[in-house]
Amino acid sequence: PYIFKISLRYNTSLRSEFEQIESKYKSNKLNKPLSSFFGVIEKDTKRTKIRPLLIDNSNINVNQLRAVYNAINRNVVFIQGPPGTGKTVSIVNMVHSCLFNNESTLITSNNNEAINNIVSKLSNLSFNNVPIRYPFLRLGSDENIQMTLRNLSDNLKYFELIKFTDEDKERLYDLEYEVNENMKYVNEILEKYETRLELEQKINGLQNFIKLIEEDNEIDEFTKEGNKIDFEAQIFRHSEKLKQTIDKSELENLKLDSSHSYEIIYYLSLEYGKKLFEEKYSHLRVILNIQDEVVRLKEFKSYIISDDGIKRLLECFPIILSTNVSSSKLGTSNSYFDLLIMEEASQCGNAVS
């Protein structure tokens, strides 16, 4: 018989990350996703500020819209769906919404195919038949970084030549104001529906508790009645709150205006591209202008592994796409991103993810 030993070797050390996690765990300073991983359940998962969405398709369905809304406005969200249910569409709109809210996003996965699928979507956007140079970077292996650096070198010339006029800035400001105003109502409707689902879940749970108590022969009648009265009182309070929410039909009738989404993304991309020519990004510009690709790769990797370097990079390119393993090479063990999207998370190992 033949015996094969199959193993996967990672050329990276996660020791510093694990030590940082352990330190924060002991000092009770874990961020929300890590707290969730360690079983700390939050009573309220909402982020402190409700963020408006930027949706590029008015035909987005209710479940996709809920996925985007909750990802942007909740600390931890798990989204499950079979192929063809629109997970990629939802992720792209999450990225748009983060860009609109001036927030950074890290998109990771256990494999390159899932990442490249999203890269393809973001790379093929246009406004008025002009390609949008979306402010994202596809990192990971040396080969992927080399390709990204070649594109960046070309984009650097583009952003140096193109104008971002005061008229453009004013137009962007007006569009942002319009979207913010329109999304106030959308956010209100979405939050009412999410509240309804939470209340219905609580009511269903309490009703199940009542059934279990009634069927438990080991509990005396006096205790049963006391618990039943308490649970029914909670059901009554939750049912009263239900009256202030909306049902799914109202959400399905919600009209989204996405007519200016690509225009906003186009101007935002210009705004980020022009940042590269500010003095504080001169070191990054020098690296991008290095002609020797081997030297350029080495300098860039040294730049993004430093705390200051990754922070500067995200100020110009707030969207990063990479695999789980390669993401550990971004900066130090500190947290840098406002949103983490882990595609195909069920296939990701705990250690690197």
Side-chain angles (χ1 to χ4, degrees):
Y2 295 94
I3 299 175
F4 295 92
K5 179 183 178 182
I6 302 175
S7 62
L8 186 62
R9 179 179 172 185
Y10 295 118
N11 295 317
T12 186
S13 172
L14 301 174
R15 180 181 295 275
S16 61
E17 280 77 7
F18 290 153
E19 288 176 347
Q20 184 83 341
I21 290 171
E22 182 181 20
S23 173
K24 289 185 177 181
Y25 179 82
K26 290 179 178 178
S27 59
N28 198 29
K29 293 181 179 178
L30 286 174
N31 59 33
K32 301 299 183 181
L34 278 174
S35 295
S36 176
F37 177 81
F38 284 106
V40 179
I41 307 300
E42 294 182 279
K43 290 183 178 179
D44 188 358
T45 62
K46 299 174 191 173
R47 296 175 73 181
T48 53
K49 175 187 174 185
I50 297 296
R51 291 150 177 79
L53 309 183
L54 185 65
I55 305 298
D56 68 5
N57 185 353
S58 57
N59 294 322
I60 187 171
N61 65 40
V62 170
N63 289 329
Q64 292 167 346
L65 185 61
R66 287 186 58 225
V68 178
Y69 176 79
N70 284 307
I72 298 300
N73 291 302
R74 294 287 192 277
N75 290 318
V76 182
V77 176
F78 300 94
I79 299 170
Q80 185 177 18
T85 54
K87 292 191 296 296
T88 301
V89 170
S90 300
I91 289 173
V92 169
N93 281 300
M94 291 171 198
V95 175
H96 292 339
S97 298
C98 275
L99 185 71
F100 182 74
N101 287 285
N102 195 31
E103 293 188 334
S104 58
T105 309
L106 173 63
I107 306 172
T108 73
S109 183
N110 205 42
N111 66 79
N112 285 292
E113 184 180 354
I115 295 297
N116 291 336
N117 189 24
I118 300 168
V119 168
S120 176
K121 296 288 185 183
L122 296 177
S123 301
N124 290 289
L125 302 179
S126 64
F127 170 65
N128 281 353
N129 297 314
V130 176
I132 295 174
R133 274 119 172 129
Y134 212 105
F136 76 86
L137 297 181
R138 169 57 162 111
L139 303 181
S141 66
D142 285 357
E143 183 182 353
N144 282 317
I145 296 176
Q146 287 278 33
M147 188 180 300
T148 293
L149 291 175
R150 292 186 198 111
N151 292 333
L152 275 181
S153 184
D154 293 337
N155 282 342
L156 197 64
K157 298 171 187 174
Y158 170 83
F159 285 119
E160 186 176 14
L161 293 173
I162 196 168
K163 297 183 183 300
F164 185 45
T165 65
D166 289 338
E167 185 179 343
D168 293 333
K169 294 175 185 177
E170 187 174 343
R171 174 63 176 164
L172 176 59
Y173 176 84
D174 290 341
L175 290 172
E176 288 177 324
Y177 178 82
E178 183 179 332
V179 169
N180 274 305
E181 289 301 305
N182 290 340
M183 288 308 299
K184 284 180 182 178
Y185 174 71
V186 175
N187 280 354
E188 181 182 342
I189 294 297
L190 283 164
E191 190 57 37
K192 283 184 177 180
Y193 183 66
E194 293 301 321
T195 300
R196 182 182 190 87
L197 294 180
E198 291 172 8
L199 289 170
E200 287 177 342
Q201 188 176 32
K202 289 177 180 178
I203 290 171
N204 185 57
L206 289 166
Q207 289 172 337
N208 287 333
F209 273 131
I210 291 174
K211 288 180 182 179
L212 288 172
I213 290 171
E214 289 176 337
E215 295 170 359
D216 193 331
N217 296 324
E218 295 183 6
I219 301 177
D220 62 81
E221 292 301 319
F222 180 79
T223 304
K224 280 186 180 182
E225 193 62 28
N227 286 331
K228 185 178 178 181
I229 290 172
D230 179 50
F231 289 150
E232 286 178 344
Q234 292 183 54
I235 291 173
F236 177 82
R237 289 194 294 270
H238 292 327
S239 298
E240 284 296 304
K241 291 178 182 178
L242 268 180
K243 297 175 183 178
Q244 301 170 22
T245 65
I246 62 167
D247 58 29
K248 192 172 184 178
S249 62
E250 292 185 62
L251 189 58
E252 289 173 336
N253 293 327
L254 188 63
K255 301 297 181 183
L256 291 176
D257 181 8
S258 60
S259 57
H260 297 301
S261 296
Y262 288 132
E263 185 177 3
I264 291 173
I265 294 168
Y266 173 78
Y267 284 127
L268 285 174
S269 299
L270 277 184
E271 188 174 52
Y272 275 104
K274 282 296 187 181
K275 281 186 178 183
L276 282 166
F277 299 94
E278 296 177 16
E279 179 59 31
K280 61 180 177 178
Y281 307 114
S282 58
H283 186 191
L284 179 57
R285 279 202 316 278
V286 169
I287 294 172
L288 296 180
N289 282 318
I290 295 174
Q291 296 303 307
D292 187 312
E293 290 195 346
V294 175
V295 176
R296 184 171 61 189
L297 175 64
K298 181 181 177 182
E299 291 297 317
F300 182 77
K301 288 171 70 175
S302 296
Y303 184 79
I304 63 175
I305 205 170
S306 69
D307 188 70
D308 185 64
I310 189 64
K311 287 178 180 176
R312 288 277 188 264
L313 187 74
L314 289 175
E315 288 170 5
C316 297
F317 302 97
I319 316 299
I320 303 293
L321 299 99
S322 184
T323 58
N324 291 336
V325 175
S326 297
S327 295
S328 66
K329 301 172 186 175
L330 299 174
T332 64
S333 53
N334 293 323
S335 298
Y336 298 101
F337 296 90
D338 297 299
L339 178 67
L340 164 66
I341 300 172
M342 190 172 293
E343 173 72 313
E344 298 181 353
S346 62
Q347 300 177 30
C348 299
N350 285 341
V352 291
S353 59

